[in-house]
Amino acid sequence: MLSLRIGFSPLNDAALIVVAQSLGYYEGEGLDVSLSREANWSNIRDKLSYGLLDAAHILATVPLARGLGLGPALGRIVAPMALGVNGNSVVVSSRLMEVFEGQGADTLLASARALRDVIQLRRGAGAAKVTLAIPFTYSPHHFVLRHWLAAGGIDPDRQVQWVVLPPSRMADHLKDGVIDGFCSGSPWPQMAEVNGDGRVLFSDPDFWTLKPEKLLAVRGTWADENPDGVIALTRALLRAAGWASDPANRTELARILAQGAYVGAPEAAIELALDRAGLILDPQTATFPWVSHAKWFMGQFVRWGLATPDHDFDAIARSVYRPDLWREAAAGLGLNQPLSDEKDEGGQAEVWALSAKPADILMPPNALFDGGVFHCAPVAHD
């Protein structure tokens, strides 16, 4: 048996990591896995850096940030698969939610404009800025909130105060009035709502119907030393995805996640989050490590002044995202293989067919709330 240690954050989108352990998929692939429940993303990043973890459930943006020269040294990371799509929600205080509803803000764009009006009123009254919490500076949550705010005419740098908090503590800060809202992975937004500390304003599918979020990150040195182990690990997680995405297993999935060693939240809140936050765990449509996702994220780094445009974005993306490893692991599992490593992100409001072999893949809608499309130039995979 090949031994390895995998870190994860206590979130619903760590489902594949914990299901593979709970149901024996790692052992079935010849792996002796120990899991490490981590308090925050910095812990996961640093433990990967120092070799205290061999692999991890990680924000898709973290290894890209390092490739752009941001943050402390992380070492080389390879990502043979995504761990699903969607799963985050944005929560605001009940007071703010009443303002949105009072203005008939029933779309994302309308809600952003309503918040712009709140900001203007606060500034006129000499009150504090609206304060929003995120779990990590270089995170998809940060980019979602910035994109949404900007669409409503709000300057995210000048008109909003940002704070970084662990997701499990965000509801307490909202309750105490320290923050006005937050974006985090589920089930913590739903916990805030159930406890009466705030209201969910929108979730990932409202922003982007097929939004990338987490990766399986494998330490480069471990991957080099254990190439068969990387494939075995990926295959175990793809098998876990097949189980976790079956609606017949939803109740059992919530029971597994609720355990204290994993997410450690009430089953009812976890089930509510699984229903409402749009988390997709399907191995065929939600686990391929799209290079176009990496490029979209790096475009956000540049858009918000966190990185300069003078990088080789294709090289950075392909040094982390490894569709070749996904294809190798998926080959014996009956999954269809995308013909390209990239696709347009956005512009698909309905179910659509993705070119793949031996058969095309029927994909969920892939659309952003503002109608934007991130165009890529797909290169065929032989």
Side-chain angles (χ1 to χ4, degrees), residues 141-343:
H141 316 77
H142 197 179
F143 295 148
V144 165
L145 285 174
R146 281 177 169 269
H147 193 135
W148 169 64
L149 294 169
I154 299 168
D155 185 331
D157 290 305
R158 300 177 60 188
Q159 295 180 290
V160 174
Q161 181 70 41
W162 299 96
V163 296
V164 175
L165 295 169
S168 59
R169 297 185 59 193
M170 289 179 178
D172 288 339
H173 284 74
L174 190 70
K175 180 180 180 180
D176 294 340
V178 177
I179 61 175
D180 298 290
F182 67 85
C183 181
S184 83
S186 298
W188 306 114
Q190 289 70 28
M191 282 287 292
E193 188 169 75
V194 167
N195 292 337
D197 299 324
R199 307 258 308 269
V200 172
L201 180 61
F202 66 89
S203 296
D204 274 347
D206 304 305
F207 172 81
W208 182 354
T209 55
L210 206 59
K211 182 186 147 288
E213 177 59 26
K214 304 296 192 308
L215 297 173
L216 169 66
V218 181
R219 195 163 50 87
T221 302
W222 192 90
D224 292 341
E225 294 172 351
N226 302 282
D228 292 339
V230 175
I231 300 305
L233 174 59
T234 306
R235 195 162 48 232
L237 293 172
L238 288 173
R239 287 187 164 133
W243 183 90
S245 61
D246 185 341
N249 297 325
R250 179 60 61 89
T251 299
E252 178 65 7
L253 173 60
R255 187 195 67 77
I256 292 171
L257 290 171
Q259 294 178 38
Y262 299 144
V263 176
E267 280 186 50
I270 287 175
E271 284 203 80
L272 180 66
L274 289 172
D275 289 337
R276 295 187 181 178
L279 179 62
I280 300 175
L281 299 170
D282 175 54
Q284 185 69 88
T285 61
T287 66
F288 191 78
W290 289 101
V291 171
S292 46
H293 285 167
K295 291 181 178 180
W296 185 88
F297 280 129
M298 287 189 287
Q300 296 301 301
F301 278 99
V302 173
R303 177 184 180 184
W304 302 114
L306 299 172
T308 59
D310 55 349
H311 293 274
D312 186 339
F313 297 108
D314 186 74
I316 295 171
R318 293 180 185 278
S319 71
V320 177
Y321 284 55
R322 294 291 302 276
D324 58 314
L325 297 177
W326 186 96
R327 290 187 177 95
E328 186 176 349
L333 300 180
L335 298 176
N336 295 310
Q337 309 232 350
L339 297 183
S340 175
D341 296 342
E342 303 183 50
K343 65 182 188 304

Side-chain angles (χ1 to χ4, degrees), residues 28-153:
E29 293 292 340
L31 301 173
D32 178 17
V33 169
S34 59
L35 297 185
S36 179
R37 187 179 190 267
E38 301 295 338
N40 55 56
W41 297 112
S42 295
N43 279 13
I44 290 177
R45 176 199 61 197
D46 294 345
K47 286 187 175 183
L48 278 171
S49 300
Y50 294 117
L52 300 177
L53 295 173
D54 302 302
H57 159 245
I58 201 169
L59 296 166
T61 45
V62 171
L64 299 174
R66 188 64 212 117
L68 293 169
L70 304 172
L74 178 59
R76 188 167 60 87
I77 296 294
V78 298
M81 68 180 289
L83 294 173
V85 296
N86 299 330
N88 295 337
S89 296
V90 173
V91 174
V92 297
S93 68
S94 297
R95 182 178 178 182
L96 270 186
M97 195 67 172
E98 289 171 4
V99 172
F100 295 145
E101 292 176 337
Q103 296 190 25
D106 56 355
T107 67
L108 280 195
L109 186 56
S111 65
R113 289 171 176 164
L115 182 57
R116 178 192 60 195
D117 295 340
V118 171
I119 288 171
Q120 290 173 345
L121 287 172
R122 284 194 179 188
R123 183 171 57 191
K129 290 181 179 180
V130 167
T131 301
L132 299 176
I134 52 176
F136 196 75
T137 299
Y138 306 128
S139 69
H141 316 77
H142 197 179
F143 295 148
V144 165
L145 285 174
R146 281 177 169 269
H147 193 135
W148 169 64
L149 294 169

